[in-house]
PDB file of all heavy atoms in Angstrom:
ATOM      1  N   VAL A1201      13.257  47.263 -16.088  1.00 78.00           N
ATOM      2  CA  VAL A1201      14.616  47.665 -15.765  1.00 78.00           C
ATOM      3  C   VAL A1201      14.549  48.405 -14.439  1.00 78.00           C
ATOM      4  O   VAL A1201      13.774  49.336 -14.273  1.00 78.00           O
ATOM      5  CB  VAL A1201      15.192  48.600 -16.854  1.00 78.00           C
ATOM      6  CG1 VAL A1201      16.580  49.049 -16.483  1.00 78.00           C
ATOM      7  CG2 VAL A1201      15.183  47.917 -18.205  1.00 78.00           C
ATOM      8  N   SER A1202      15.348  47.998 -13.491  1.00 74.00           N
ATOM      9  CA  SER A1202      15.382  48.654 -12.190  1.00 74.00           C
ATOM     10  C   SER A1202      16.655  49.481 -12.094  1.00 74.00           C
ATOM     11  O   SER A1202      17.753  48.955 -12.196  1.00 74.00           O
ATOM     12  CB  SER A1202      15.348  47.611 -11.081  1.00 74.00           C
ATOM     13  OG  SER A1202      15.412  48.235  -9.829  1.00 74.00           O
ATOM     14  N   ASP A1203      16.481  50.782 -11.967  1.00 69.00           N
ATOM     15  CA  ASP A1203      17.638  51.660 -11.826  1.00 69.00           C
ATOM     16  C   ASP A1203      18.145  51.615 -10.397  1.00 69.00           C
ATOM     17  O   ASP A1203      17.408  51.285  -9.470  1.00 69.00           O
ATOM     18  CB  ASP A1203      17.248  53.102 -12.171  1.00 69.00           C
ATOM     19  CG  ASP A1203      17.137  53.324 -13.661  1.00 69.00           C
ATOM     20  OD1 ASP A1203      17.679  52.505 -14.417  1.00 69.00           O
ATOM     21  OD2 ASP A1203      16.523  54.310 -14.064  1.00 69.00           O
ATOM     22  N   PRO A1204      19.399  52.004 -10.199  1.00 85.00           N
ATOM     23  CA  PRO A1204      19.893  52.086  -8.822  1.00 85.00           C
ATOM     24  C   PRO A1204      19.053  53.094  -8.027  1.00 85.00           C
ATOM     25  O   PRO A1204      18.564  54.069  -8.596  1.00 85.00           O
ATOM     26  CB  PRO A1204      21.326  52.593  -8.980  1.00 85.00           C
ATOM     27  CG  PRO A1204      21.696  52.300 -10.388  1.00 85.00           C
ATOM     28  CD  PRO A1204      20.427  52.330 -11.178  1.00 85.00           C
ATOM     29  N   PRO A1205      18.860  52.865  -6.756  1.00 92.00           N
ATOM     30  CA  PRO A1205      18.061  53.786  -5.948  1.00 92.00           C
ATOM     31  C   PRO A1205      18.675  55.188  -5.923  1.00 92.00           C
ATOM     32  O   PRO A1205      19.887  55.361  -6.019  1.00 92.00           O
ATOM     33  CB  PRO A1205      18.092  53.180  -4.553  1.00 92.00           C
ATOM     34  CG  PRO A1205      18.578  51.791  -4.733  1.00 92.00           C
ATOM     35  CD  PRO A1205      19.354  51.743  -5.992  1.00 92.00           C
ATOM     36  N   ILE A1206      17.791  56.177  -5.797  1.00 95.00           N
ATOM     37  CA  ILE A1206      18.218  57.572  -5.704  1.00 95.00           C
ATOM     38  C   ILE A1206      18.055  58.010  -4.253  1.00 95.00           C
ATOM     39  O   ILE A1206      16.987  57.826  -3.656  1.00 95.00           O
ATOM     40  CB  ILE A1206      17.361  58.482  -6.597  1.00 95.00           C
ATOM     41  CG1 ILE A1206      17.424  58.030  -8.055  1.00 95.00           C
ATOM     42  CG2 ILE A1206      17.804  59.931  -6.471  1.00 95.00           C
ATOM     43  CD1 ILE A1206      16.442  58.766  -8.946  1.00 95.00           C
ATOM     44  N   VAL A1218      14.523  56.611  -3.181  1.00 96.00           N
ATOM     45  CA  VAL A1218      13.515  56.490  -4.230  1.00 96.00           C
ATOM     46  C   VAL A1218      13.948  55.366  -5.169  1.00 96.00           C
ATOM     47  O   VAL A1218      15.083  55.349  -5.638  1.00 96.00           O
ATOM     48  CB  VAL A1218      13.356  57.810  -5.012  1.00 96.00           C
ATOM     49  CG1 VAL A1218      12.383  57.643  -6.163  1.00 96.00           C
ATOM     50  CG2 VAL A1218      12.912  58.928  -4.087  1.00 96.00           C
ATOM     51  N   ASN A1219      13.038  54.438  -5.425  1.00 95.00           N
ATOM     52  CA  ASN A1219      13.300  53.324  -6.334  1.00 95.00           C
ATOM     53  C   ASN A1219      12.461  53.507  -7.596  1.00 95.00           C
ATOM     54  O   ASN A1219      11.270  53.810  -7.509  1.00 95.00           O
ATOM     55  CB  ASN A1219      12.932  51.995  -5.679  1.00 95.00           C
ATOM     56  CG  ASN A1219      13.807  51.716  -4.489  1.00 95.00           C
ATOM     57  OD1 ASN A1219      14.975  51.437  -4.634  1.00 95.00           O
ATOM     58  ND2 ASN A1219      13.252  51.835  -3.288  1.00 95.00           N
ATOM     59  N   ASN A1220      13.090  53.317  -8.754  1.00 94.00           N
ATOM     60  CA  ASN A1220      12.400  53.448 -10.029  1.00 94.00           C
ATOM     61  C   ASN A1220      12.430  52.128 -10.780  1.00 94.00           C
ATOM     62  O   ASN A1220      13.473  51.490 -10.883  1.00 94.00           O
ATOM     63  CB  ASN A1220      13.062  54.515 -10.906  1.00 94.00           C
ATOM     64  CG  ASN A1220      12.908  55.895 -10.317  1.00 94.00           C
ATOM     65  OD1 ASN A1220      11.850  56.251  -9.811  1.00 94.00           O
ATOM     66  ND2 ASN A1220      13.958  56.676 -10.374  1.00 94.00           N
ATOM     67  N   LEU A1221      11.286  51.744 -11.294  1.00 93.00           N
ATOM     68  CA  LEU A1221      11.179  50.592 -12.183  1.00 93.00           C
ATOM     69  C   LEU A1221      10.724  51.119 -13.539  1.00 93.00           C
ATOM     70  O   LEU A1221       9.727  51.837 -13.619  1.00 93.00           O
ATOM     71  CB  LEU A1221      10.168  49.577 -11.656  1.00 93.00           C
ATOM     72  CG  LEU A1221      10.520  48.898 -10.343  1.00 93.00           C
ATOM     73  CD1 LEU A1221       9.359  48.024  -9.873  1.00 93.00           C
ATOM     74  CD2 LEU A1221      11.755  48.048 -10.511  1.00 93.00           C
ATOM     75  N   VAL A1222      11.457  50.790 -14.583  1.00 93.00           N
ATOM     76  CA  VAL A1222      11.141  51.252 -15.922  1.00 93.00           C
ATOM     77  C   VAL A1222      10.767  50.034 -16.755  1.00 93.00           C
ATOM     78  O   VAL A1222      11.554  49.088 -16.868  1.00 93.00           O
ATOM     79  CB  VAL A1222      12.338  51.993 -16.558  1.00 93.00           C
ATOM     80  CG1 VAL A1222      11.995  52.468 -17.958  1.00 93.00           C
ATOM     81  CG2 VAL A1222      12.767  53.157 -15.677  1.00 93.00           C
ATOM     82  N   LYS A1232      18.188  50.168 -22.792  1.00 90.00           N
ATOM     83  CA  LYS A1232      18.074  50.254 -21.332  1.00 90.00           C
ATOM     84  C   LYS A1232      19.252  50.966 -20.671  1.00 90.00           C
ATOM     85  O   LYS A1232      19.091  51.575 -19.628  1.00 90.00           O
ATOM     86  CB  LYS A1232      17.889  48.870 -20.717  1.00 90.00           C
ATOM     87  CG  LYS A1232      19.094  47.975 -20.821  1.00 90.00           C
ATOM     88  CD  LYS A1232      18.833  46.628 -20.212  1.00 90.00           C
ATOM     89  CE  LYS A1232      20.073  45.771 -20.340  1.00 90.00           C
ATOM     90  NZ  LYS A1232      19.877  44.460 -19.787  1.00 90.00           N
ATOM     91  N   ILE A1235      18.906  54.969 -20.049  1.00 93.00           N
ATOM     92  CA  ILE A1235      17.932  55.525 -19.100  1.00 93.00           C
ATOM     93  C   ILE A1235      18.683  56.233 -17.981  1.00 93.00           C
ATOM     94  O   ILE A1235      19.597  55.668 -17.391  1.00 93.00           O
ATOM     95  CB  ILE A1235      17.036  54.410 -18.527  1.00 93.00           C
ATOM     96  CG1 ILE A1235      16.237  53.756 -19.644  1.00 93.00           C
ATOM     97  CG2 ILE A1235      16.119  54.960 -17.442  1.00 93.00           C
ATOM     98  CD1 ILE A1235      15.505  52.505 -19.208  1.00 93.00           C
ATOM     99  N   THR A1236      18.297  57.464 -17.711  1.00 93.00           N
ATOM    100  CA  THR A1236      18.871  58.205 -16.588  1.00 93.00           C
ATOM    101  C   THR A1236      17.736  58.750 -15.728  1.00 93.00           C
ATOM    102  O   THR A1236      16.620  58.934 -16.201  1.00 93.00           O
ATOM    103  CB  THR A1236      19.762  59.369 -17.064  1.00 93.00           C
ATOM    104  OG1 THR A1236      18.981  60.268 -17.841  1.00 93.00           O
ATOM    105  CG2 THR A1236      20.942  58.867 -17.878  1.00 93.00           C
ATOM    106  N   ASP A1237      18.031  59.008 -14.473  1.00 94.00           N
ATOM    107  CA  ASP A1237      17.021  59.559 -13.574  1.00 94.00           C
ATOM    108  C   ASP A1237      17.667  60.427 -12.514  1.00 94.00           C
ATOM    109  O   ASP A1237      18.854  60.325 -12.242  1.00 94.00           O
ATOM    110  CB  ASP A1237      16.178  58.456 -12.941  1.00 94.00           C
ATOM    111  CG  ASP A1237      17.005  57.392 -12.245  1.00 94.00           C
ATOM    112  OD1 ASP A1237      18.222  57.567 -12.092  1.00 94.00           O
ATOM    113  OD2 ASP A1237      16.420  56.378 -11.843  1.00 94.00           O
ATOM    114  N   VAL A1255      12.699  60.942 -14.941  1.00 95.00           N
ATOM    115  CA  VAL A1255      13.279  59.766 -15.581  1.00 95.00           C
ATOM    116  C   VAL A1255      13.358  60.057 -17.076  1.00 95.00           C
ATOM    117  O   VAL A1255      12.351  60.356 -17.712  1.00 95.00           O
ATOM    118  CB  VAL A1255      12.439  58.499 -15.319  1.00 95.00           C
ATOM    119  CG1 VAL A1255      13.080  57.289 -15.978  1.00 95.00           C
ATOM    120  CG2 VAL A1255      12.266  58.266 -13.825  1.00 95.00           C
ATOM    121  N   HIS A1256      14.559  60.000 -17.618  1.00 95.00           N
ATOM    122  CA  HIS A1256      14.795  60.243 -19.037  1.00 95.00           C
ATOM    123  C   HIS A1256      14.873  58.885 -19.727  1.00 95.00           C
ATOM    124  O   HIS A1256      15.772  58.095 -19.445  1.00 95.00           O
ATOM    125  CB  HIS A1256      16.094  61.024 -19.239  1.00 95.00           C
ATOM    126  CG  HIS A1256      16.123  62.299 -18.457  1.00 95.00           C
ATOM    127  ND1 HIS A1256      15.640  63.479 -18.953  1.00 95.00           N
ATOM    128  CD2 HIS A1256      16.547  62.570 -17.199  1.00 95.00           C
ATOM    129  CE1 HIS A1256      15.781  64.437 -18.053  1.00 95.00           C
ATOM    130  NE2 HIS A1256      16.333  63.903 -16.968  1.00 95.00           N
TER     131      HIS A1256
END
Side-chain angles (χ1 to χ4, degrees):
V1201 178
S1202 179
D1203 283 342
I1206 302 172
V1218 176
N1219 295 290
N1220 293 319
L1221 295 174
V1222 180
K1232 68 181 180 181
I1235 298 170
T1236 60
D1237 54 9
V1255 181
H1256 305 271

